[in-house]
Amino acid sequence: MNSIAQQLKTRFEKAFTSAFGESYAGTDPMLAAAGNPKFGDFQCNAAMSLGKKLGKPPRAIASTIIENLDIADICETPEIAGPGFINLKLKPAYLEAQISEIAADTRLGIEPAKTPQRVAIDFSSPNIAKEMHVGHLRSTIIGDAIARILEFQGHDVLRINHIGDWGTQFGMLIAYLREVHPEALTTADALDLGDLVAFYRQAKQRFDADETFKETARQEVVKLQAGAEDTRRAWKLLCDQSRREFQVIYDLLDIKLTERGESFYNPLLPAVVEDLTNLGLLVESDGAKCVFVDGFTNKEGEPLPLIVQKTDGGYNYATTDLAAIRYRIQNDNAKRIIYVTDSGQANHFAQVFAVARKACWIPEDVEIVHVPFGLVLGEEGKRLKTRSGEAVRLQDLLDEAIVRATQDLEDRLVREERQETKEFIANVGRVVGLSAVKYADLSQNRASNYVFSYDKMLALQGNTAPYMLYAYARVQGIRRKGEINFDNLDAGAKVILQSDAELVLAKHLLQFNEVINAVDGDLLPNRICQYLFELSQKFNQFFEQCPVLKAEEPLRTSRLILCDLTARTLKLGLGLLGIKVLERM
Ligand code: ARG
């Protein structure tokens, strides 16, 4: 179903043609939400610019438009205001019909994308032998939400985990473990990720201080790249160890990813350098092979090279990303490639994309974007750390959210004098805790930093997951109390929109498809959060002002339809954010 704005736009375009001729068919009606609900729902602001073009007073243009406008089935008679605004007020009968239509549709009136695309989303992407940190958590949550939204839109989404599983650090780590913990290189599970991280740190210290060790580490890298069996086995073991621990987090958060780490592109790296050479784009600088593109400079203002092969012959993070772009375009056939990382990597991606463009590796019909996000801050406004100043372990952070959500629930049960089973408490605590973490992240414009606060994210009031979940559970409460089966509501029952609260709720329900379409474009999931927040507020107002179960028929059924549609919208919207609803909480 077309959005209301879209339907209005079509009518205006017709009016422009009949009023001013074919050449005006494509004129933008400049529709906006009415500044003041007193004047209606929308306003058309096109008369001013058309007036200039046609050399006529805008108010005269506005009346010509209205004379040619066939819109009586949607709006009350349009009114002209001020210099030439056209105010439009939607008719309740029209809204009633639209609500019935979306209520009868499992997709709530949201049409899938007209041209489904293959989309590659590169997200999460932690590094082997390092802890997954909050930056990876953001990437995981935001990337998953974007994937869910695009999948719902009918796109064919590849969820790629570009794990940092290759590079000189492995030589260092393997050389060190051979010395201090050789069994870790031959036995699975000899270490956990915590140990691995500690060894990694020690190995790095050794590497920086000890020349002989440095040499040994280099040899390990060479052996690894040459495919020496014992080094390879050691490397694989280390990767498996980390992978298992990442998987615990993914399972907890219900995240699906296909691993395709940096090592995957290893065999493709020489061709990247060769092709850049043949294109005449490679420049040797201090023995390193570089590409220069306009517009990239270092702090001193000098041209900044993208190094694709180091003096010692090793390849870089950037080389792998160039190979990955080629692979995603040529082998995966991706038409849209999305990278979800912190904004600290914005320059890296801008430069890599620029080099790939210069090499003509990105066809016209392929869109490639970096989706950056800001930092997670502690309550004092600095980067989130533990009390002892270390990076927060994700597992601890999620566990803590669950513990606190469970505690909040137990307190509430005491206050409400309710008895619930252990299973109920554990399940609700877990869902609320994890939802709160996800929602707190997604509800911010991703570009900004945000303060991580358990108290705020778990609050029952405000733009939080618990508030949204509560609105959903409230509808299910009505269902249970009235012993209603929403699936069996009279399909032909008429929706009746009488009171203001009903009209306000209905209009909001009809905007969901616009929001989803906008997010398909700009990849800002916080739009969905804001929409759901307002929906919950409008529903709560409706519920306070309009009796539902006690209303007389046919109003009762109509209001039940609104309740159910609100709940289904919440469930769908939260689902697109990776959040599950609760029937009771
Ligand atoms: N492993 C990287 C990190 O932890 C993120 C990788 C992002 N994806 C990419 N294709 N470079 O920062």
Side-chain angles (χ1 to χ4, degrees), residues 317-362:
Y317 184 52
T319 327
T320 303
D321 265 325
L322 287 171
I325 289 180
R326 299 193 337 157
Y327 191 87
R328 290 166 190 179
I329 293 174
Q330 290 165 12
N331 300 61
D332 293 329
N333 256 318
K335 294 290 174 219
R336 193 177 188 189
I337 309 176
I338 297 169
Y339 296 79
V340 189
T341 80
D342 63 290
S343 24
Q345 298 197 36
N347 275 331
H348 162 77
F349 284 113
Q351 203 175 8
V352 167
F353 298 169
V355 169
R357 280 222 170 79
K358 200 166 175 183
C360 297
W361 291 340
I362 307 179

Side-chain angles (χ1 to χ4, degrees), residues 292-510:
F292 287 91
V293 270
D294 291 343
F296 293 89
T297 50
N298 63 15
K299 281 195 208 85
E300 284 74 41
E302 296 150 1
L304 183 71
L306 185 80
I307 302 177
V308 293
Q309 193 166 19
K310 293 179 283 188
T311 325
D312 65 5
Y315 300 101
N316 272 339
Y317 184 52
T319 327
T320 303
D321 265 325
L322 287 171
I325 289 180
R326 299 193 337 157
Y327 191 87
R328 290 166 190 179
I329 293 174
Q330 290 165 12
N331 300 61
D332 293 329
N333 256 318
K335 294 290 174 219
R336 193 177 188 189
I337 309 176
I338 297 169
Y339 296 79
V340 189
T341 80
D342 63 290
S343 24
Q345 298 197 36
N347 275 331
H348 162 77
F349 284 113
Q351 203 175 8
V352 167
F353 298 169
V355 169
R357 280 222 170 79
K358 200 166 175 183
C360 297
W361 291 340
I362 307 179
E364 288 258 328
D365 64 341
V366 172
E367 182 198 4
I368 182 160
V369 275
H370 178 220
V371 165
F373 54 79
L375 301 173
V376 183
L377 306 174
E379 307 232 21
E380 359 45 63
K382 296 213 193 76
R383 243 174 217 274
L384 188 68
K385 294 255 163 69
T386 62
R387 276 210 192 123
S388 52
E390 279 157 49
V392 182
R393 292 188 56 218
L394 287 195
Q395 181 82 55
D396 297 345
L397 183 136
L398 298 173
D399 288 346
E400 174 82 12
I402 295 173
V403 166
R404 292 202 191 208
T406 310
Q407 187 59 51
D408 285 0
L409 171 62
E410 280 169 343
D411 295 346
R412 193 156 49 83
L413 292 180
V414 172
R415 281 199 309 275
E416 294 174 1
E417 297 178 15
R418 271 168 62 192
Q419 291 280 342
E420 296 290 355
T421 63
K422 264 205 192 113
E423 292 74 37
F424 175 88
I425 296 174
N427 182 49
V428 173
R430 187 183 135 100
V431 171
V432 171
L434 296 174
S435 306
V437 172
K438 285 190 181 181
Y439 193 89
D441 198 307
L442 293 167
S443 58
Q444 308 290 321
N445 182 314
R446 56 174 161 72
S448 34
N449 300 342
Y450 79 96
V451 174
F452 190 94
S453 157
Y454 289 113
D455 289 340
K456 271 209 194 110
M457 67 178 71
L458 288 168
L460 268 176
Q461 290 300 327
N463 190 7
T464 64
Y467 183 68
M468 246 56 65
L469 292 174
Y470 205 73
Y472 179 85
R474 197 167 199 183
V475 176
Q476 304 316 316
I478 300 170
R479 171 174 61 74
R480 284 187 297 271
K481 194 166 162 208
E483 295 178 3
I484 312 281
N485 182 346
F486 282 132
D487 296 334
N488 284 352
L489 286 181
D490 177 8
K494 200 174 149 17
V495 174
I496 306 160
L497 302 172
Q498 279 178 346
S499 67
D500 272 351
E502 284 168 305
L503 281 162
V504 166
L505 176 62
K507 285 175 197 168
H508 197 74
L509 283 165
L510 289 168

Side-chain angles (χ1 to χ4, degrees), residues 15 276 287 583:
L276 288 171
E583 297 304 302

Side-chain angles (χ1 to χ4, degrees), residues 9-61:
K9 195 162 179 256
T10 312
R11 302 295 175 94
F12 270 95
E13 283 166 358
K14 280 209 186 106
F16 293 145
T17 322
S18 52
F20 312 114
E22 268 317 316
S23 60
Y24 285 84
T27 306
D28 179 2
M30 301 172 69
L31 284 172
N36 183 339
K38 234 176 39 202
F39 301 127
D41 300 296
F42 287 95
Q43 60 187 49
C44 156
N45 297 339
M48 275 63 75
S49 56
L50 275 172
K52 258 200 208 119
K53 234 185 185 165
L54 295 160
K56 291 206 180 114
R59 282 189 73 101
I61 296 283

Side-chain angles (χ1 to χ4, degrees), residues 534-552:
E534 287 170 22
L535 177 63
S536 304
Q537 285 178 315
K538 288 173 177 164
F539 173 74
N540 286 337
Q541 274 154 18
F542 154 78
F543 191 65
E544 273 156 34
Q545 290 167 24
C546 306
V548 177
L549 292 173
K550 293 211 175 85
E552 299 285 335

Side-chain angles (χ1 to χ4, degrees), residues 123 157-163 256-261:
F123 70 103
V157 177
L158 299 170
R159 300 159 154 260
I160 300 176
N161 204 357
H162 191 85
I163 292 204
K256 305 259 180 308
L257 275 155
T258 303
E259 185 179 324
R260 205 191 269 164

